[in-house]
Amino acid sequence: MGNTVRLRPPNNQLNRRCLLWWRAWIALVVGPIVAALAALGLLVAPVLVVPAGIAAAVGVAYGVIMPLWWYRVHRWEVTDTAVYTRTGYFWQESRIAPMSRIQTVDTVRGPLQQLLRLATVTVTTASAKGAVRIAGLDADLAADLAAELTQITQATPGDAT
């Protein structure tokens, strides 16, 4: 049965700067909500200042705790035979993309990722589950990883379907 790929926990953590990236996203979502409630509270209905304070406290707690948890859970690894990832918060998902099934390898860097020198590597296969993403890598590591995966997949026999 040739190269057997088995499910196992991946070894590599994401770059620690992904904590800042996740916290910035949380702030971009929570900040406008808090600002809108506070502005309405000050201008229209003072009772809305209380929900603004609660939303701010919950947002700060969420922004401190959740990225640390996510950082502990999210893992990735690339071997000669497969790309392994583990993601999730409450429901954790482990994925394997065998090299022979990889169709494309892409890197993406949004504005916050560019600012923090981070990138996401997307490995596309023919899986109905969709692409395997490794988000929160150092940008240089992501570029090297994409090049390495491209070389490995070109040298790996298989039909990539």
Side-chain angles (χ1 to χ4, degrees):
M1 194 163 169
N3 287 340
T4 301
V5 178
R6 64 181 185 84
L7 190 60
R8 61 178 180 71
N11 288 324
N12 302 320
Q13 288 185 299
L14 301 176
N15 188 285
R16 280 197 69 83
R17 290 189 307 271
C18 71
L19 293 167
L20 294 172
W21 179 44
W22 291 328
R23 287 182 176 135
W25 269 111
I26 292 167
L28 287 171
V29 170
V30 173
I33 294 168
V34 170
L37 286 171
L40 286 172
L42 293 172
L43 298 173
V44 180
V47 72
L48 291 178
V49 173
V50 172
I54 293 169
V58 169
V60 167
Y62 187 82
V64 169
I65 295 167
M66 292 307 290
L68 292 171
W69 183 3
W70 299 335
Y71 183 74
R72 285 182 44 116
V73 172
H74 289 206
R75 294 280 187 275
W76 68 279
E77 184 176 356
V78 173
T79 67
D80 289 340
T81 57
V83 176
Y84 296 81
T85 62
R86 184 179 68 195
T87 59
Y89 314 111
F90 296 109
W91 289 269
Q92 293 180 6
E93 178 180 56
S94 295
R95 304 262 321 263
I96 298 174
M99 292 298 174
S100 62
R101 307 293 273 171
I102 294 175
Q103 294 177 328
T104 62
V105 179
D106 303 300
T107 58
V108 176
R109 297 181 65 208
L112 284 175
Q113 286 179 310
Q114 290 178 45
L115 183 66
L116 295 168
R117 298 181 330 275
L118 296 172
T120 298
V121 172
T122 303
V123 178
T124 306
T125 67
S127 168
K129 187 74 171 167
V132 173
R133 287 181 180 76
I134 308 169
L137 296 176
D138 177 80
D140 291 336
L141 175 61
D144 292 345
L145 182 61
E148 177 186 351
L149 284 171
T150 300
Q151 286 179 339
I152 292 171
T153 56
Q154 286 178 346
T156 303
D159 60 5
T161 59

